[in-house]
């Protein structure tokens, strides 16, 4: 019975995959074996290249439960196929977290076997227990185990799988695992290592050689050897060996680098808790989820993901976040609301020590050890997943590469026609069977050029080198071409558009529900001992590392502005004193009031503040807090700082000034970053131990508002200029930041992302609550003065359509601004509006890291080619997901980004786009040239086959090596054009202009080759050439060559007048199309600045012209060309000149002028004020008429846009209710209605 069941693994995740089960089938295998023998192994190669055929051709369908082989297919747009083998493992239980009733002395089986291997029984307590047989398979470094309950394979990530609460981590998992249980879990989770195996050179060689391209080359070499074309075959073999050696060297180097990066700290010795008291040393590779490890006082590199249950750690997470700012990690709450939540690595980041991160320091009290429970190991860790994404990247989806395969298929079709033509012609002329086979197969090797991939790669390699010179490093060279198509770039704000550090602009304290005047200096005597400054000095996560203050730059600026001093307890003090020695902050001695100094009881005591507990900053909660005790006082205080809106909501309303909203808006509109402070005196009954177990929700409530700290974040000098350059190049720019909305809008205006006359509409969404549906409130920000906009119009460039509808700037010039909270609500409850908002939204504020990634996906879903530029902090996901991610951080996190810039500003973005455009145009030029080269040679050979002739071995060699390879590799050297132009290069090879270009050149070459072929046969001196022929004497006795009399007879009929004529004509055709296709402006520097290319062209032109007009006997003999009359040589020069002139005229006049400017005008929108139709000049009227006529001729009238964002733009241009009017609300229940409400 055959079951065609399909299951899905990793459902809803990025690597969601469909799975089918198969069993080996004997008769299918026999058939495949017979087919492989008869096809000379080609069938096996085909099944190797196509895993789907490989499995279906040798196996039969079965259920997943009984399968021996699995067929997997990704559900994304790439639909990649993989095959996997099912293995069987013996274990005492079905799942890693099953409880085992085993003694520690019992020996666990670790039988990893194939099908049919029986496991031995396990003996304990004198009884036999039959182990369970568990089916599993490995895919992309991850193991999937069969689950009989869900009838599917499942993945075990770690301790999170059992949905354990934070409180139960403390109660049930804090004493560690027994050795037996650890061994049992290791059966499922394997060794705790991120194993990057460096493949042997032999394996890499086999994989590289089995590439279809090299197989085709091998076929070509065998064929050429059979024809005695040894020289060219040797040249191709030499090129292939160099290409394979270079490729192997590069691939192996990448593996070695990744292996070294991962292996540097992957195996360390760790202290593991066994039971409540025993602690033993173990290797980090033995760790499994549930183990409890001791973090040493001097720190360590984490070998796994673990959640902290005792103590505090200072961690450098630059490997993950790209930001080398030490982060404080506190222990997981054991009581309160948060303790009842299930453990979630994303939500509980601030308690988690991630694999690969560096624990710099630990803090422990009263002899307690700093302990952490292992949650994930190996490839399941954060670092493991990053390495896995590098080892198994998604294929680069780019239209150019898809079209290149289609184009090659067309060439194969042309080769097929030539193949049939050759066979028919040869049979008609009674040619021997061997010659028919060789010559008909030869036509295929001529039509599909073997040097094409190498020539295509050259342009990308040159671009990569040029990028390196301007400080941009690339780990994914194929993405350089994609950069040429970017039409939208997202920018992070802090550290990317603006300076990394913040400067303190001033402070504004609040007393009695009113704001005091702002003060520039927080360290002045009147403020230094106030609660406000005490909060600034104590509420932070700073620490001293080797005597230097270290931590978040914002915290550092605020603390240094107070002038206070931070002192930390030494290790001895922490261990010896039971009344704990906390971190202490105190004002400088000179600032303590004299009254206090004279009083022995309060001498410098009441001003010292000990930090008892920290609640680290949470990007989700947008706040941090500390519990402190002023030395000498009994009661503790809580200090809070965070986003002003959040802090105000946690304060008693009467303490928040009535002018709070207006004051905050005043600062944020000016681009300041505002932090609010609050405090609260805690109950006297709270002891140190009680505080340690309290949840932050109980402490961060009923606060008293203290005031605002105003920080200045300056825009980088280069920002405005770069954004203007991108705008002028028709590249849309967005800001995606974690900062305040109004601050972000202010920065967007200051840097030119939003212009002075443009409206900003804030979409403020609220989730459903108390039977009210989700809603979006639309309101304008205060609009700056608008100047001269009444008569302004702008041509809306729809880029890939022929629409130039003009609308007034007043209607069109608006931007949406969305917060992360609103984005989440709109994505969930208003899916119909997400794409409409994405079309005109420019500012995204308060965005979480995963929301940045989500936004990139939304923009890609409406067919934008998206770039992302960030400083590495929290941008890793978006950098990886974007078509082109540019990291401004040189830290290890940049391994997630295809591009890394050494300059810490956004000036790298236009550089990258310029080089991308140049590389893309170079790819088109080279592809067109190589296609024309193969077709020109195909035409020459086809014409010569008609007289049972061919090109000679050395003629092929001269054309393929001296002309084609030199030209193909030097034409790629044109540097990028110095400025970005309005329109982008074409993204497709199968586009009207490119096809017109190629087809017109093919026809031109065909006409002139046929003309020369027919004309030579019409000459009075023409005869069927023999060694005795002496055509030279017809017109000039001086050109007679004695070799014509003495040459041996040519069995292959290479030497003849037709061959010589076509060799000369085709040689000039190759050079002519090379120069025609080597375009310069507007994407590349002109070809005359590419001196290697120009030198090659001039040298080759001169050489071919000289041997044509003034033949050299030795060269003629080498190239197997015959002597023709001087008059015919002059005629050939005229034919060649006319051919070149016609080719230039067709390419430049028809394609570049008429078609580009009139028919394909949509590629060149112009952002200029438009005149009314009545003011058209005669030239413009003619252009419009010509455009209409040619558009009709080429069937382009009313052609809809090809990309989704243009469809949306067209729809919204005519929508009466879009954009929504200010002071209206849209409800999820009825998206069409807008209900006006006062705001």
């Amino acid at each position: 019975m055959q079951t065609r069941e399909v299951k899905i693994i990793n459902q809803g995740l990025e690597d969601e995959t469909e799975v089918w089960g198969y069993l080996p089938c004997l008769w299918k295998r026999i058939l495949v074996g017979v087919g492989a023998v008869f096809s000379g192994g080609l069938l096996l190669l085909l099944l190797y290249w196509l895993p789907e055929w490989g499995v279906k051709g040798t196996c039969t369908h079965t259920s997943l439960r009984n399968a021996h082989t699995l067929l997997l297919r990704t559900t994304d747009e790439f639909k990649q196929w993989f095959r996997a083998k099912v293995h069987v493992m013996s274990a005492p239980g079905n799942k890693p977290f099953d409880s085992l009733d085993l003694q520690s002395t019992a020996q666990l089986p670790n039988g990893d076997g194939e099908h049919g291997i029986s496991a031995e029984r396990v003996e304990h307590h004198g009884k036999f227990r039959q182990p369970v047989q568990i089916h599993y398979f490995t895919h992309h470094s991850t193991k999937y185990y069969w689950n009989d309950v869900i009838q599917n394979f499942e993945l075990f990530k770690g301790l999170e799988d059992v949905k354990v609460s934070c409180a139960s981590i403390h109660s049930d998992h804090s004493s560690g695992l027994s050795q037996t249980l650890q061994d049992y879990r290791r059966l499922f989770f394997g060794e705790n290592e991120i194993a990057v195996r460096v493949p042997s050179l032999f394996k890499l060689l086999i994989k590289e050689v089995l590439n279809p391209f090299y197989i085709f080359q091998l076929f070509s070499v065998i064929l050429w050897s059979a024809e005695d074309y040894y020289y060219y075959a040797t040249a191709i073999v030499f090129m292939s060996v160099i290409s394979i050696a270079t490729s192997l060297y590069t691939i192996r180097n990448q593996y070695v680098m990744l292996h070294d990066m991962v292996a540097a700290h992957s195996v360390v010795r760790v202290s593991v808790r066994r039971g409540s008291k025993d602690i033993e040393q173990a290797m980090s590779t033995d760790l499994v989820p549930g183990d409890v490890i001791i973090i040493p006082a001097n720190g360590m590199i984490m070998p796994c993901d673990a959640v902290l249950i005792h103590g505090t750690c200072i961690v450098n997470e630059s490997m993950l976040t790209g930001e080398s700012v030490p982060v404080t990690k506190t222990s997981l709450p054991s009581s309160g609301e948060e303790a009842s939540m299930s453990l979630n690595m994303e939500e509980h980041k601030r308690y988690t020590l991630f694999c690969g991160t560096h624990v710099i320091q630990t803090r422990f009290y009263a002899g307690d050890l700093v302990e952490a429970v292992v949650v994930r190991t190996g490839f399941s860790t954060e670092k493991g997943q990053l390495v896995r994404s590098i080892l198994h990247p998604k294929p680069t989806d780019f239209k150019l590469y898809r079209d290149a395969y289609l184009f090659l298929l067309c060439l194969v079709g042309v080769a097929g026609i030539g193949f049939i033509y050759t066979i028919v012609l040869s049979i008609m002329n009674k040619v021997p069977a061997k010659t028919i086979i060789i010559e008909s197969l030869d036509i295929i090797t001529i039509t599909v050029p073997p040097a094409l991939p190498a020539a295509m790669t050259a342009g990308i390699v040159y671009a990569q080198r040029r990028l390196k010179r301007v400080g941009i490093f690339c780990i994914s060279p194929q993405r350089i071409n994609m950069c040429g198509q970017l039409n939208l770039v997202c920018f992070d704000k802090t550290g990317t558009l603006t300076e990394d550090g913040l400067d303190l602009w001033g402070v504004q304290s609040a007393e009695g529900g009113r704001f005091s005047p702002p003060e520039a200096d927080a360290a002045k005597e009147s403020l230094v001992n106030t609660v406000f400054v005490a909060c600034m000095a104590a509420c932070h996560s700073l620490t001293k590392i080797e005597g230097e203050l270290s931590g978040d730059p914002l915290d550092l600026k605020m603390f240094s502005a107070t002038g206070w001093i931070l002192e930390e307890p030494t290790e001895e003090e922490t261990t010896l004193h039971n009344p704990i020695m906390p971190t202490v902050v105190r004002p400088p001695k000179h600032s303590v009031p004299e009254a206090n100094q004279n009083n022995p009881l309060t001498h410098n005591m009441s001003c010292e503040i000990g930090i008892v507990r920290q609640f680290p900053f949470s990007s989700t909660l947008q706040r941090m807090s500390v519990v402190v005790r002023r030395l000498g006082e009994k009661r503790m205080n809580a200090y809070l700082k965070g986003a002003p809106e959040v802090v105000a909501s946690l304060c008693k309303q009467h303490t928040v000034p009535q002018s709070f909203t207006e004051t905050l808006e005043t600062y944020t509109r000016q681009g300041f970053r505002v932090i609010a402070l609050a405090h609260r005196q805690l109950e006297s009954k709270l002891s140190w131990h009680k505080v340690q177990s309290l949840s932050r929700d109980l402490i961060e409530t009923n606060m008293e508002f203290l005031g605002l700290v105003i920080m200045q974040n300056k825009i980088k000098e280069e920002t405005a200029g770069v954004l203007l350059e991108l705008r002028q190049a028709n590249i849309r720019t967005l800001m995606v930041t974690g900062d305040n909305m109004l601050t972000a809008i202010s920065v967007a205006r200051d840097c030119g992302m939003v212009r002075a006359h443009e409206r900003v509409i804030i979409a403020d969404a609220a989730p459903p609550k108390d039977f009210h549906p989700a809603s979006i409130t639309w309101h304008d920000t205060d609009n700056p003065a608008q100047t001269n906009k009444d008569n302004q119009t702008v041509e809306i460039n729809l880029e890939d359509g022929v629409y130039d509808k003009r609308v007034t700037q007043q209607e069109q010039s608006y931007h949406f601004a969305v917060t992360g909270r609103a984005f989440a609500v709109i994505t969930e409850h208003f899916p119909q509006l997400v794409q409409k908002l994405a079309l005109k939204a420019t500012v995204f504020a308060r965005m979480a890291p995963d929301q940045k990634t989500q936004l990139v996906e939304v923009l890609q879903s409406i067919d934008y080619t998206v770039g992302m530029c960030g400083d590495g902090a929290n941008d890793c996901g978006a950098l990886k997901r974007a078509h082109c991610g540019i990291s401004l951080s040189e830290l290890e996190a940049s391994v997630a980004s295809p591009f890394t810039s050494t300059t810490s500003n956004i000036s790298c973005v236009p550089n990258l786009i310029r080089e991308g455009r140049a590389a893309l145009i170079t790819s088109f030029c080279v592809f067109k040239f190589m296609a024309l080269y193969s077709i020109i040679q195909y035409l020459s050979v086809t014409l010569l086959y008609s007289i049972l002739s061919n090109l000679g071995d050395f003629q092929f060699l001269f054309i393929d090596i001296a002309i084609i390879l030199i030209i193909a590799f030097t034409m790629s050297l044109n540097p990028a054009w110095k400025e970005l132009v309005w329109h982008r290069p074409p993204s497709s090879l199968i586009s009207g202009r490119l096809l017109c270009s190629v087809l017109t050149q093919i026809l031109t070459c065909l006409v002139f080759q046929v003309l020369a072929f027919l004309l030579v046969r019409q000459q009075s001196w023409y005869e069927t050439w023999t060694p005795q022929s002496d055509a030279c004497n017809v017109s000039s006795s001086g050109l007679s060559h004695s070799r014509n009399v003495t040459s041996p007879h040519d069995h292959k009929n290479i030497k003849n007048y037709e061959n010589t004529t076509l060799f000369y004509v085709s040689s000039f055709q190759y050079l002519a199309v090379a120069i025609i296709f080597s375009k310069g402006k507007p994407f590349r520097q002109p070809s005359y600045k590419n001196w290697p290319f120009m030198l090659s062209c001039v040298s080759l032109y001169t050489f071919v012209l000289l041997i044509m007009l003034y033949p050299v006997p030795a060269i003629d003999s080498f190239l197997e060309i015959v002597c023709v009359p001087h008059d015919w040589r002059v005629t050939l020069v005229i034919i060649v000149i006319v051919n070149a002139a016609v080719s230039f005229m067709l390419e430049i006049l028809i394609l570049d002028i008429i078609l580009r400017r009139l028919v394909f005008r949509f590629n060149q929108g112009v952002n200029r004020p438009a005149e009314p139709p009545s003011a058209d000049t005669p030239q413009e009227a003619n252009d419009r008429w010509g455009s209409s006529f040619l558009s009709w001729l080429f069937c382009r009238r009313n052609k809809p846009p090809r990309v989704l964002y243009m469809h949306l733009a067209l729809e919204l241009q005519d929508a009466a209710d879009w954009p929504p009017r200010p002071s209206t609300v849209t409800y999820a229940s009825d998206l069409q209605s807008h209900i006006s409400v006062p705001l």
Side-chain angles (χ1 to χ4, degrees), residues 868-1097:
M868 172 75 198
C869 182
D871 60 353
N874 303 323
D875 299 320
C876 287
L879 287 169
K880 273 170 65 181
R881 186 57 53 86
H883 291 107
C884 295
I886 311 151
S887 168
L888 302 186
S889 160
E890 291 183 71
L891 297 161
E892 250 178 327
S894 63
V895 83
S897 174
F899 300 96
T900 305
S901 172
T902 53
T903 53
S904 59
N905 59 65
I906 63 170
S907 61
C908 60
V909 176
N911 286 336
L912 184 58
I913 296 172
R914 271 195 295 273
E915 288 297 346
R917 288 180 172 188
L920 185 55
I921 286 296
T922 297
S923 295
F924 283 125
C925 292
V926 170
F927 201 97
K928 284 162 66 179
F929 172 65
M930 296 300 284
L932 255 292
Y933 141 65
S934 61
I935 294 294
I936 291 169
Q937 199 169 78
Y938 170 79
L939 294 173
S940 302
V941 171
T942 308
L943 286 169
L944 289 173
Y945 275 6
S946 68
I947 59 164
L948 302 182
S949 179
N950 200 351
L951 290 172
D953 193 5
F954 290 103
Q955 288 174 342
F956 275 123
L957 198 65
F958 175 76
I959 291 167
D960 293 335
I961 305 291
I963 297 181
I964 302 307
L965 287 184
I966 291 174
I967 294 296
F969 283 104
T970 56
M971 79 189 298
S972 305
L973 286 167
N974 289 38
W977 185 242
K978 53 184 180 249
E979 61 188 42
L980 286 174
V981 293
W982 173 264
H983 57 284
R984 293 179 297 153
S987 61
S988 170
L989 277 169
I990 317 295
S991 68
R993 278 184 60 205
L994 285 167
L995 286 178
C996 280
S997 173
V998 171
L999 291 173
T1000 50
Q1001 294 304 323
I1002 289 173
L1003 286 172
T1004 307
C1005 294
L1006 173 63
V1007 167
F1008 281 94
Q1009 279 201 38
V1010 171
L1011 177 70
F1013 182 78
L1014 295 176
L1015 271 180
V1016 73
R1017 297 169 72 93
Q1018 301 300 318
Q1019 299 305 305
S1020 56
W1021 47 265
Y1022 176 81
E1023 62 178 358
T1024 303
W1025 189 88
T1026 64
Q1028 288 74 37
S1029 295
D1030 195 10
C1032 294
N1033 287 329
V1034 173
S1035 56
S1036 174
S1037 56
L1039 294 177
S1040 176
H1041 293 272
S1042 59
R1043 66 177 177 82
N1044 282 352
V1045 181
T1046 57
S1047 295
H1049 181 63
D1050 180 13
H1051 294 289
K1052 291 189 176 180
N1053 192 22
I1054 301 297
K1055 290 183 176 182
N1056 54 62
Y1057 299 121
E1058 292 91 343
N1059 169 289
T1060 301
T1061 300
L1062 288 180
F1063 173 72
Y1064 285 140
V1065 171
S1066 64
S1067 294
F1068 281 108
Q1069 284 180 338
Y1070 297 128
L1071 295 170
V1073 295
I1075 293 169
I1076 289 166
F1077 286 157
S1078 188
K1079 301 278 179 68
K1081 278 179 68 175
F1083 303 114
R1084 303 198 307 167
Q1085 296 281 0
S1087 290
Y1088 61 78
K1089 290 191 176 182
N1090 179 357
W1091 66 264
F1093 175 68
M1094 292 311 294
L1095 185 64
S1096 304
C1097 287

